[in-house]
Amino acid sequence: TVSVLYCRPMARLESMPGAQEGHKAKPPKAPCHEKVRPDSDAQHATANGATMTLTILNYALMMLWGYIREAFRYFVPDPDLSVRQGYAPLLRGSDDFFSRRMYRRVRDCWNRPIDTRAGRVIGVMQRKSDTGHKRFELTGKTIPCINLASYNYLGFSEDLPSVTEDTLLALERYGTGACTSSQEGGQSQLLRDLEVETAAFVGKEAAVVYAMGFVTNFSGLAPLFCDQTLVVSDSLNHASLVGGVRVSSGRVKVFKHNDMGSLERTLRRAIVDGQPRTHRPWKRVVILVEGIYSMEGEILDLPRVVELKKKYKCLLYVDEAHSIGALGSSGRGVCEHCGVDPSDVDLLMGTYTKSFGSIGGYIAGPARLIADLKRYSGASLMGDSLHSAAAQQAISSLRVMLGKDGTTIGREKIRRLKENSEYM
């Protein structure tokens, strides 16, 4: 889904506060560990009764009109709805009704094609449709729009000459892909450099890189947990974390989102009760959380989580998909933002999709454990390794963030993101 705001003229965009540089207004910054009041209107905004009633009424009218049209089509069949002989229909029953009579009427709002970089401003390709939105046809025109759908936090997906040049050179040298897994065909020097520089950046001994952020959790978590491992997971953890735990052999208990009291009660009860039926102690207990919860925009109370981890002798896995590059004075993530030593977090996961303008993800931690992950995780054994050009994009972006390109562009990007976020 592409959420866009039509912008005419484009000069209006350039004059918006904070569009080019961070807005100077700086409200007081809340500490990392400050708890958001549960009754906050901003956190729990709900629609009023009139809005909900009108919404339900509109859906009811759409359904009623849809059923009337269905009854009409019973007597006058639509040739486009006939199923080719020998083939089964793609949809049946209520799914077919919803797709044709409700979603199709409004689907022009979604799946908009674009023909530019996924930057601050994108070009949305204009299209027209026939009656009922059955088919779309491009008009050849492009509408400039403000991009509200991308998580290109630091703007590295746009044309930064030094980064773009390095990426094109890597593409020319290494080609379009490895066409094999890293365990079978090995990995390029660029991929090895990315692992080393990522580990140094987040303060860990080693790192393993995967070709997709979702796969990083889904495939990386599976070999970590045996049947005597208890995973204590935040109730709003990302689907990749949930899926990764489900395919592992570990047991799961869930605590209330970002509620440290609930986390401690869950840990205490799990340790007291032990394993199901046998009540033997758990071999290990792992706390599974995120640095920034992307759908809620909330930062993890990491100091308190580390305190509980040490108190109950647990392990800690932090997903920094949305916080790496975006938090901390140098972009090192939630550990730097909260003033926590990275050594207090056993495994740090992150992606290159958000702040680095690339693709893929990593897991960083002790060298021995990372070596085992490379050996046993499904993505390392059977999945393609990360594209060398994508690896170079991440490396070059990381070096710009650290100022290794001889400029202050990276530092300015991080500062501007922080100021704009506080302003908004």
Side-chain angles (χ1 to χ4, degrees):
T1 303
V2 177
S3 303
V4 293
L5 177 64
Y6 290 109
C7 180
R8 295 173 179 158
M10 286 304 297
R12 188 177 304 168
L13 173 66
E14 307 299 333
S15 63
M16 290 174 60
Q20 292 294 335
E21 297 184 357
H23 198 276
K24 301 305 179 183
K26 290 186 179 181
K29 180 180 179 295
C32 170
H33 57 274
E34 182 173 327
K35 183 177 179 180
V36 179
R37 292 187 294 111
D39 58 344
S40 170
D41 292 337
Q43 297 294 326
H44 298 277
T46 58
N48 57 37
T51 301
M52 296 177 66
T53 301
L54 290 174
T55 302
I56 295 172
L57 179 61
N58 277 310
Y59 269 108
L61 289 174
M62 288 180 66
M63 292 181 66
L64 177 61
W65 183 242
Y67 281 120
I68 293 174
R69 291 174 63 90
E70 287 289 288
F72 176 77
R73 288 303 179 193
Y74 181 80
F75 298 101
V76 184
D78 185 349
D80 292 340
L81 300 181
S82 60
V83 179
R84 185 178 174 184
Q85 187 176 2
Y87 289 82
L90 294 177
L91 297 173
R92 294 177 182 270
S94 59
D95 290 338
D96 179 54
F97 176 81
F98 178 83
S99 176
R100 290 188 295 106
R101 300 303 183 193
M102 301 183 72
Y103 170 69
R104 182 183 291 176
R105 296 172 65 88
V106 295
R107 69 173 181 157
D108 191 37
C109 298
W110 294 279
N111 305 320
R112 292 272 185 155
I114 64 173
D115 68 344
T116 60
R117 293 172 177 264
R120 179 171 55 92
V121 178
I122 56 176
V124 177
M125 302 173 71
Q126 190 180 61
R127 60 188 182 183
K128 61 182 181 180
S129 66
D130 57 11
T131 304
H133 296 316
K134 292 181 180 179
R135 298 174 182 85
F136 292 100
E137 182 180 342
L138 296 176
T139 64
K141 297 180 180 180
T142 300
I143 306 172
C145 302
I146 300 174
N147 184 5
L148 301 178
S150 172
Y151 34 56
N152 178 30
Y153 297 147
L154 297 179
F156 280 113
S157 73
E158 301 189 47
D159 188 12
L160 191 63
S162 61
V163 176
T164 302
E165 183 178 350
D166 291 344
T167 303
L168 291 176
L169 288 174
L171 181 62
E172 181 179 355
R173 178 178 180 182
Y174 293 99
T176 57
C179 302
T180 183
S181 68
S182 57
Q183 288 296 312
E184 288 188 1
Q187 56 183 203
S188 67
Q189 183 60 41
L190 282 178
L191 204 56
R192 176 58 184 162
D193 292 343
L194 179 59
E195 291 179 341
V196 171
E197 295 194 29
T198 297
F201 182 63
V202 299
K204 290 296 182 182
E205 292 180 1
V208 55
V209 171
Y210 296 97
M212 182 180 177
F214 190 97
V215 170
T216 303
N217 278 330
F218 192 85
S219 177
L221 288 176
L224 292 178
F225 308 139
C226 66
D227 58 0
Q228 299 182 54
T229 299
L230 175 66
V231 180
V232 181
S233 176
D234 190 286
S235 61
L236 294 184
N237 272 341
H238 190 263
S240 60
L241 292 168
V242 175
V245 174
R246 283 180 175 173
V247 299
S248 74
S249 301
R251 302 295 185 94
V252 186
K253 288 186 179 295
V254 177
F255 66 94
K256 292 181 181 179
H257 170 59
N258 226 8
D259 187 330
M260 298 302 106
S262 175
L263 172 58
E264 182 167 19
R265 289 190 297 271
T266 304
L267 290 172
R268 187 186 298 118
R269 175 55 60 186
I271 293 172
V272 170
D273 292 344
Q275 299 182 42
R277 289 189 286 185
T278 64
H279 299 291
R280 293 177 180 174
W282 295 100
K283 190 171 184 179
R284 63 180 65 86
V285 178
V286 182
I287 302 173
L288 197 63
V289 289
E290 295 186 46
I292 290 181
Y293 294 89
S294 58
M295 295 296 100
E296 293 72 35
E298 296 174 0
I299 300 175
L300 172 69
D301 187 355
L302 185 59
R304 179 62 175 148
V305 174
V306 170
E307 180 184 335
L308 293 175
K309 171 219 167 184
K310 293 180 178 179
K311 180 178 179 180
Y312 294 100
K313 296 180 172 58
C314 304
L315 300 176
L316 179 57
Y317 182 105
V318 177
D319 179 338
E320 287 214 87
H322 288 269
S323 55
I324 192 66
L327 285 183
S329 58
S330 61
R332 285 182 165 85
V334 70
C335 290
E336 184 178 48
H337 176 77
C338 295
V340 172
D341 191 332
S343 63
D344 289 332
V345 180
D346 299 283
L347 286 174
L348 286 167
M349 175 270 177
T351 66
Y352 303 111
T353 318
K354 282 76 178 177
S355 296
F356 299 87
S358 184
I359 194 172
Y362 67 85
I363 296 177
R368 182 178 176 183
L369 180 56
I370 296 302
D372 287 340
L373 271 180
K374 291 182 178 180
R375 185 177 179 184
Y376 294 112
S377 66
S380 295
L381 293 170
M382 294 168 282
D384 282 358
S385 58
L386 182 65
H387 190 296
S388 296
Q392 182 63 67
Q393 167 75 22
I395 291 173
S396 298
S397 299
L398 177 58
R399 290 172 179 172
V400 171
M401 290 168 58
L402 295 174
K404 292 183 178 181
D405 62 334
T407 70
T408 61
I409 294 176
R411 191 184 312 161
E412 285 299 309
K413 284 179 175 290
I414 296 171
R415 179 191 62 80
R416 191 178 305 162
L417 173 65
K418 178 175 180 292
E419 291 183 358
N420 288 341
S421 299
E422 289 179 347
Y423 173 72
M424 293 298 292

